[in-house]
Amino acid sequence: MTRVRQFVLAAGGTGGHMVPAAALAEELKRRGHRVALISDERGVRFPGLFDGVETHVLPAGRMQGGPIGWLRAGRAMWAGRTQAIALYKELQPAAVIGFGGYPALPALLAAFNRGVPAAVHEQNAVLGRVNRLVAGRVDAIATSYREVARLATRHRRKVRLTGNPVREEVLALRDKPYPLLEEDGIFRVLVTGGSQGASVLSQVVPDGLAMLPVSFRRRLQVTHQARVEDIDRARAKYAELSIAADLATYLPDLPEHLAWAHLVIARAGASTVAELTAAGRPAILVPLPTATDDHQTDNAREIVAAGGARVIKQSHFTPAELAKQMQRLGLDPEALANAAARARSCGHPDAARDLADLVEDLDRPPADVPVGPAQLASPGGEAAFA
């Protein structure tokens, strides 16, 4: 029988950290294990990701604001570490897995203190700051790309390529064919800037589509995620152009929109690229230029090299450039379908399974033992630490 174990997942409160953590949580629960989440206020309230998972909010500062800000952050981190140590005395975790972001740091520091096996998962093609800080002390480093920048040579022996887990609804698209695009048929475009949206997409995309030939514009059907401050202008522009467009500040049914999209225009965040490669959808990617270590540009390299996407730097992302790329893609259905297949070839459909295998390997018992009903009981409720 499988030996039931308790695992703690620690992640910052952005979608890029929370989505893969949630996918791992589901896989571990499916295997019969217990899972607890440590995050910040944003993370534990992320819609629809951690239902039924015991959650804990621990203090964790950000290293910013100069010496005074660093001191405050250090105090918050130490308080979070102290609370995590007390929590681990209760939970007795078999392992702690960090997914990046400063809220993950106190949980990992507590694991080091208690001698609990620990690993980190890196979603991006550049090792993040928190993961760099702890790389020397964790037992394993799971990566989403074959090549990861800012990873010290001495730590490469700990690396295992797992890929970046995505939601099951997105993974299910992998078994569905790329939607048929006829030369005079509807051309469906999905525009998304990640969990927070992207103003530049709302500014450029409608104006870029306006420069397309009228015959092409009439074929367009657009779903556009926009920031609150941008949505009215973008909606008015689409209406002026008579382009069928649905706009929203959040797309809870993103997998459904991804299923029918012929082309995606997006940032190059880790979760976005993982979903494109899992589903097999061609894209025009506009990396966020202010992303730490320019990691979004690195995220896009593999799918671009494979022929599954094109990158336009934000400084070159003009309506004219977008219209040019759209025409090249939209007028050649065969090339689009080929790009979709090439994007799919970069995917890691077994990422959640492989990451769960790595996590279980952190705690190697001498043998699996039968587990009684009392041990199978799952703790419930939420605990919050101020």
Side-chain angles (χ1 to χ4, degrees):
M1 296 177 61
T2 299
R3 188 169 65 94
V4 175
R5 284 165 274 179
Q6 171 77 62
F7 293 102
V8 171
L9 312 186
T14 65
H17 300 308
M18 302 306 291
V19 169
L24 175 61
E26 287 303 310
E27 178 63 22
L28 291 173
K29 289 194 297 179
R30 188 161 34 243
R31 297 183 184 197
H33 300 302
R34 296 188 294 266
V35 179
L37 169 72
I38 290 177
S39 187
D40 56 12
E41 292 287 355
R42 294 178 304 166
V44 298
R45 294 175 182 168
F46 228 88
L49 287 185
F50 288 92
D51 297 337
V53 172
E54 179 182 354
T55 58
H56 302 267
V57 175
L58 269 61
R62 293 183 61 85
M63 297 298 179
Q64 58 186 17
I68 294 177
W70 300 339
L71 180 61
R72 289 174 179 167
R75 287 175 176 170
M77 292 287 181
W78 197 255
R81 171 187 175 274
T82 300
Q83 293 178 15
I85 289 171
L87 178 64
Y88 295 169
K89 290 178 180 178
E90 174 190 343
L91 293 180
Q92 294 295 309
V96 175
I97 304 88
F99 285 83
Y102 285 106
L105 188 53
L108 291 165
L109 294 176
F112 304 150
N113 175 270
R114 294 282 296 170
V116 177
V120 292
H121 177 268
E122 180 54 62
Q123 301 87 50
N124 293 297
V126 179
L127 200 65
R129 289 177 178 173
V130 168
N131 286 349
R132 291 202 298 269
L133 282 172
V134 301
R137 300 192 65 181
V138 295
D139 299 282
I141 301 171
T143 64
S144 303
Y145 295 88
R146 296 186 184 280
E147 298 295 328
V148 179
R150 305 297 295 272
L151 175 64
T153 302
R154 65 184 181 278
H155 298 148
R156 292 186 183 276
R157 60 180 177 79
K158 302 181 182 182
V159 170
R160 187 187 300 182
L161 175 64
T162 62
N164 194 11
V166 299
R167 292 169 287 182
E168 289 188 0
E169 301 93 323
V170 174
L171 193 57
L173 302 180
R174 192 170 181 83
D175 298 324
K176 298 180 179 179
Y178 177 71
L180 180 65
L181 176 63
E182 299 178 355
E183 291 187 6
D184 57 350
I186 294 175
F187 189 92
R188 300 183 181 92
V189 180
L190 173 62
V191 183
T192 175
S195 59
Q196 302 300 315
S199 289
V200 69
L201 298 184
S202 296
Q203 294 161 6
V204 173
V205 173
D207 290 338
L209 301 186
M211 300 178 73
L212 294 172
V214 174
S215 59
F216 192 176
R217 286 209 312 265
R218 288 173 177 168
R219 297 169 51 203
L220 294 174
Q221 184 174 334
V222 179
T223 297
H224 188 136
Q225 177 212 5
R227 297 175 69 94
V228 172
E229 59 268 31
D230 302 321
I231 196 167
D232 288 339
R233 177 197 172 278
R235 182 179 285 118
K237 187 66 178 182
Y238 284 124
E240 177 188 329
L241 297 169
S242 299
I243 293 175
D246 293 321
L247 290 91
T249 56
Y250 178 66
L251 298 174
D253 53 349
L254 182 64
E256 180 180 335
H257 294 295
L258 192 60
W260 56 245
H262 294 111
L263 178 69
V264 179
I265 303 173
R267 287 297 197 192
S271 289
T272 297
V273 175
E275 291 178 346
L276 290 170
T277 57
R281 292 296 181 272
I284 294 174
L285 300 175
V286 186
L288 175 66
T290 57
T292 305
D293 299 317
D294 194 24
H295 65 254
Q296 288 202 5
T297 296
D298 287 270
N299 290 349
R301 285 202 175 107
E302 186 174 304
I303 187 174
V304 170
R310 299 183 181 193
V311 162
I312 304 176
K313 289 185 178 181
Q314 184 162 312
S315 58
H316 299 155
F317 187 57
T318 63
E321 180 62 24
L322 176 62
K324 181 174 69 175
Q325 298 292 346
M326 286 283 295
Q327 280 193 270
R328 287 177 178 173
L329 291 166
L331 298 178
D332 191 346
E334 185 176 342
L336 262 180
N338 184 50
R342 291 175 179 270
R344 187 180 185 277
S345 72
C346 298
H348 295 275
D350 298 323
R353 183 202 68 187
D354 292 345
L355 185 56
D357 287 346
L358 180 152
V359 167
E360 286 185 326
D361 286 346
L362 293 172
D363 176 49
R364 298 174 182 270
D368 284 346
V369 295
V371 179
Q375 291 168 288
L376 286 170
S378 176
E382 291 191 2
F385 294 84

